[in-house]
Amino acid sequence: INSAASEYFPSLTIDGNTLVFTRRVNNRNEDFFISQRIQGQWSNAGPLPGDLNSEDNEGAQNIAQDGSMLVFTGCNMDDGEGSCDIYVSYVTKTGWGKRINLGTAINTEYWESQPCLSPDKRSLYFTARDPSGFGGSDLFVSQLQPNGRWGTPRNMGPQINTSGDESCPFIHPDNQTLYFTSNGHPGYGGTDLFLIRRQPGGGWSTPQNLGYPVNTIDDEGSLIIASDGKTAFFASDGSDSRGGLDIYSFELPE
């Protein structure tokens, strides 16, 4: 999985056997790589097959739980609406298809990034820097409409978003628990990891800091949790890194 280059933004299918991540190739170009878990061991990662990787930067991706589609971020692309936009690609018999911009329903002249699909692929969570928000970057959610198009994104509100930066949303396979990073809620250091749980009325609980040892005085970044609810994957430049950021996993504390 890991190399002398930087690897980050891991994403996982619900069966836990397909890992897609971003690698910075030649220290400049971001591409997607994929590894399969076979008999408990990860295969050597290779470039994502198909037409998705390009000379442009593709990153901050999330693979659908069933492995059928990939939502991701593309910046400064010729078909973009703003600085960074959200795109989708669908898997085909010959690999992953070309990128498709999600259009003006999701993307604006501002910055949209770090998309995450709900397990049923009907909700799209993402990060945006929109002047109408609460400051910095906020978390937004859009719902898939009956006509197959994404609805107008909704800011997730002041209980979740602060005057600081909220980012890296990840909705767990249970579709009830959302993890994100924030430097606006009380924490241990720069950016900490938090979770919220869906409430019976459809709202969300108060953000809960994941606590030490997950959070430290340093910046904690994107985190994903496997469907078993225990195994976490994240990127770090730890002392045993093979170079730059590497992908790690650990078992979540009770």
Side-chain angles (χ1 to χ4, degrees):
I1 305 294
N2 295 313
S3 70
S6 280
E7 288 82 20
Y8 41 93
F9 267 107
S11 59
L12 198 67
T13 51
I14 196 165
D15 61 8
N17 290 331
T18 300
L19 177 73
V20 177
F21 59 92
T22 302
R23 176 179 287 167
R24 185 175 290 277
V25 180
N26 297 324
N27 208 32
R28 59 176 185 83
N29 183 31
E30 291 180 316
D31 279 343
F32 298 132
F33 281 71
I34 187 169
S35 173
Q36 304 287 346
R37 198 200 310 252
I38 302 167
Q39 296 181 336
Q41 298 293 320
W42 290 109
S43 66
N44 287 332
L48 197 68
D51 301 319
L52 195 49
N53 286 331
S54 72
E55 292 300 311
D56 295 317
N57 284 333
E58 299 87 17
Q61 83 298 333
N62 172 248
I63 191 168
Q65 294 287 303
D66 63 3
S68 65
M69 57 193 286
L70 194 79
V71 286
F72 64 96
T73 308
C75 294
N76 304 312
M77 293 186 169
D78 53 14
D79 58 348
E81 301 290 339
S83 60
C84 290
D85 280 7
I86 295 173
Y87 292 79
V88 65
S89 171
Y90 297 93
V91 72
T92 70
K93 292 179 180 178
T94 57
W96 289 86
K98 291 186 180 299
R99 67 177 187 246
I100 302 169
N101 189 301
L102 286 186
T104 53
I106 300 293
N107 296 313
T108 68
E109 62 186 292
Y110 305 113
W111 179 88
E112 289 83 26
S113 185
Q114 302 163 344
C116 182
L117 284 167
S118 62
D120 59 8
K121 298 181 289 191
R122 302 194 64 82
S123 299
L124 177 71
Y125 300 88
F126 63 96
T127 309
R129 291 185 179 276
D130 192 304
S132 67
F134 294 93
S137 59
D138 284 357
L139 302 186
F140 287 76
V141 61
S142 172
Q143 305 296 337
L144 193 66
Q145 303 302 299
N147 63 3
R149 298 178 181 275
W150 290 104
T152 302
R154 177 176 55 83
N155 188 299
M156 294 190 71
Q159 184 174 349
I160 296 167
N161 292 313
T162 68
S163 59
D165 292 316
E166 281 67 46
S167 58
C168 302
F170 170 73
I171 185 75
H172 187 265
D174 67 5
N175 208 19
Q176 303 297 313
T177 313
L178 184 82
Y179 298 83
F180 65 96
T181 66
S182 173
N183 60 15
H185 292 283
Y188 292 76
T191 301
D192 276 7
L193 288 153
F194 293 81
L195 69 78
I196 51 177
R197 299 188 196 280
R198 199 186 305 274
Q199 301 299 290
W204 295 92
S205 66
T206 301
Q208 174 187 341
N209 190 300
L210 288 189
Y212 181 84
V214 177
N215 289 318
T216 68
I217 60 172
D218 298 321
D219 285 336
E220 273 64 50
S222 61
L223 178 89
I224 65 168
I225 314 293
S227 57
D228 65 9
K230 295 186 296 185
T231 310
F233 294 79
F234 72 114
S236 175
D237 57 355
S239 59
D240 59 344
S241 163
R242 294 175 180 268
L245 289 166
D246 276 1
I247 294 173
Y248 292 76
S249 71
F250 67 97
E251 189 159 307
L252 275 177
E254 192 68 31

